[in-house]
Amino acid sequence: MKKHIHGYIVIRETLKPPYNSRMKQSTILFIIYWLSVFSILSSSAAYGTHRVGNLDLSNNAVLCMYQDQNGYMWFGTYDGLNLYNGKNMYVYRFELDNEYSLCSNIIHKISQAGTDHLWISTFLGLNKFSLKDRRVTESHPECPEAKLLAADSKGNTWVICKRGYISYYSSSSDLKRFQDIHLPEADTESIKDIFFTKNDKLYLITNNGKLLNIEYSKKQDLDIKLKTHEITMHDKNIDYASYENNKIYFVDKDQKLYLYDIIASKKILLSDISQLTTKNGGIAKITSFKYDVYIAFKNNGVVKLNIEDHYRPEVITSGIGVFAY
């Protein structure tokens, strides 16, 4: 039996000040709910909910989460990268004069980089981290705060951290560097998400409701050509968007929540969440579980939209700020 853990983080403890920050200490709720999926080697699967508390993280300001192919959980915090294997916690930080350590202790994003590495985006650069050796194998300080990052199944990676450019990394090249390619639409302010689908198609979601399919070809490592196909996903500006299993959840400027099915090229209005965002603040994450939709808010709690009751909102927990999912 293999265990997969999915969920969202919310916290109750006294925050430690972030690394090299003047943030005042404050008390927030820190409760961890993990929606667990137990998969048997056959195609059948059972669903359950698992609650875990009192994880000894290096810092309680959690900025991102990731589950690797072994089911282990990675937490990016304001003071280090944390690995939880179900029993023990390990912490990785910047170390002076250690070329195999992180660029910075402030971790913005964790994502896959092929089958045996992770990309760790930090405040001062992007690191390629070996899952086998548990150390940094490459550092890219030219890509600080790289939150708009996606890799295909082979580890070929695209990142947006410079206005007007998208940067490409080839996993098969000996160059071990990112190549900047001009793309007028590439802007950290206007791009809401970048992702690969299961069949390794690259997409960008823009704040004006466009879905951009980026096709690329290369004759050599330094000769890459881009071709963009634009799809009008929505006719109003988008405040939030995220991709999940060939589906996109997005919220427009009127605070209406939609689901866009990439395969069917179909948009569905799920709910008007204007009252929820007015009450709870900005959205930290939108995800689905067993067909229901969960919305985590930065200022106040998590709400479930119940599909069996026409997506009626049910408060899962309140009075809390959600740092990460």
Side-chain angles (χ1 to χ4, degrees):
M1 180 181 292
K2 185 176 180 181
K3 181 177 179 180
H4 294 275
I5 305 172
H6 303 276
Y8 45 84
I9 286 191
V10 274
I11 303 176
R12 177 171 198 169
E13 276 184 17
T14 300
L15 282 180
K16 301 175 184 177
Y19 180 73
N20 285 341
S21 173
R22 296 181 180 179
M23 179 185 288
K24 295 180 179 179
Q25 289 188 337
S26 60
T27 300
I28 61 173
L29 291 174
F30 190 10
I31 305 168
I32 297 181
Y33 287 91
W34 282 353
L35 301 178
S36 303
V37 180
F38 297 87
S39 301
I40 304 177
L41 294 178
S42 64
S43 60
S44 63
Y47 297 88
T49 300
H50 181 54
R51 177 173 177 170
V52 178
N54 300 322
L55 285 181
D56 188 17
L57 298 173
S58 60
N59 190 282
N60 291 336
V62 181
L63 302 181
C64 55
M65 284 177 59
Y66 182 79
Q67 181 189 22
D68 67 24
Q69 58 193 5
N70 297 313
Y72 297 164
M73 296 301 301
W74 297 80
F75 302 86
T77 77
Y78 255 114
D79 187 19
L81 175 68
N82 294 244
L83 164 63
Y84 180 62
N85 63 6
K87 181 178 180 181
N88 299 312
M89 185 74 71
Y90 302 90
V91 180
Y92 305 91
R93 292 188 175 95
F94 165 77
E95 298 175 14
L96 191 63
D97 297 327
N98 182 358
E99 63 178 315
Y100 302 111
S101 70
L102 298 170
C103 290
S104 166
N105 289 338
I106 302 176
I107 314 299
H108 287 291
K109 184 171 182 176
I110 307 165
S111 59
Q112 195 69 32
T115 57
D116 52 1
H117 285 79
L118 296 177
W119 286 116
I120 310 298
S121 175
T122 78
F123 177 67
L124 295 178
L126 185 61
N127 297 130
K128 194 172 185 180
F129 189 92
S130 171
L131 289 171
K132 178 183 178 181
D133 300 326
R134 302 281 173 82
R135 68 177 187 176
V136 171
T137 58
E138 296 177 30
S139 293
H140 299 274
E142 72 276 14
C143 299
E145 299 187 70
K147 300 176 184 178
L148 292 171
L149 178 147
D152 66 16
S153 58
K154 297 179 180 179
N156 300 311
T157 304
W158 297 82
V159 60
I160 299 175
C161 54
K162 302 174 184 177
R163 187 170 185 176
Y165 290 89
I166 187 168
S167 303
Y168 172 72
Y169 175 96
S170 173
S171 62
S172 60
S173 172
D174 294 330
L175 297 176
K176 306 298 181 184
R177 70 179 181 86
F178 282 87
Q179 176 188 350
D180 295 338
I181 305 170
H182 181 59
L183 182 66
E185 297 88 350
D187 186 348
T188 55
E189 297 297 323
S190 61
I191 301 299
K192 293 298 181 182
D193 199 9
I194 176 173
F195 61 90
F196 277 96
T197 58
K198 293 181 179 180
N199 56 355
D200 280 346
K201 288 188 176 181
L202 177 63
Y203 286 91
L204 306 180
I205 304 174
T206 69
N207 63 352
N208 62 352
K210 307 297 183 183
L211 182 62
L212 305 180
N213 175 216
I214 310 295
E215 293 185 356
Y216 53 95
S217 60
K218 64 176 183 176
K219 296 181 179 179
Q220 299 177 352
D221 286 332
L222 298 179
D223 186 17
I224 301 174
K225 305 297 183 183
L226 300 181
K227 188 175 181 181
T228 303
H229 301 276
E230 182 180 291
I231 301 169
T232 300
M233 189 172 61
H234 196 55
D235 57 0
K236 295 181 179 179
N237 283 355
I238 293 174
D239 287 345
Y240 170 90
S242 65
Y243 167 78
E244 178 182 286
N245 297 326
N246 288 323
K247 297 177 182 178
I248 296 170
Y249 292 100
F250 70 88
V251 178
D252 68 10
K253 67 181 184 66
D254 295 329
Q255 301 305 291
K256 292 183 178 179
L257 171 63
Y258 292 84
L259 181 150
Y260 183 83
D261 188 317
I262 295 177
I263 303 299
S265 299
K266 183 178 181 181
K267 177 179 66 175
I268 303 172
L269 173 63
L270 299 184
S271 180
D272 183 337
I273 62 170
S274 56
Q275 293 184 355
L276 292 175
T277 54
T278 298
K279 177 181 179 181
N280 301 316
I283 296 171
K285 180 70 177 181
I286 297 178
T287 189
S288 62
F289 182 71
K290 284 188 174 181
Y291 304 107
D292 295 324
V293 177
Y294 292 80
I295 307 175
F297 294 94
K298 295 177 182 178
N299 297 339
N300 186 25
V302 179
V303 171
K304 180 177 79 170
L305 302 182
N306 190 334
I307 188 174
E308 293 183 351
D309 196 6
H310 305 287
Y311 291 101
R312 181 180 61 85
E314 299 176 5
V315 177
I316 301 299
T317 184
S318 63
I320 47 182
V322 179
F323 276 81
Y325 169 85

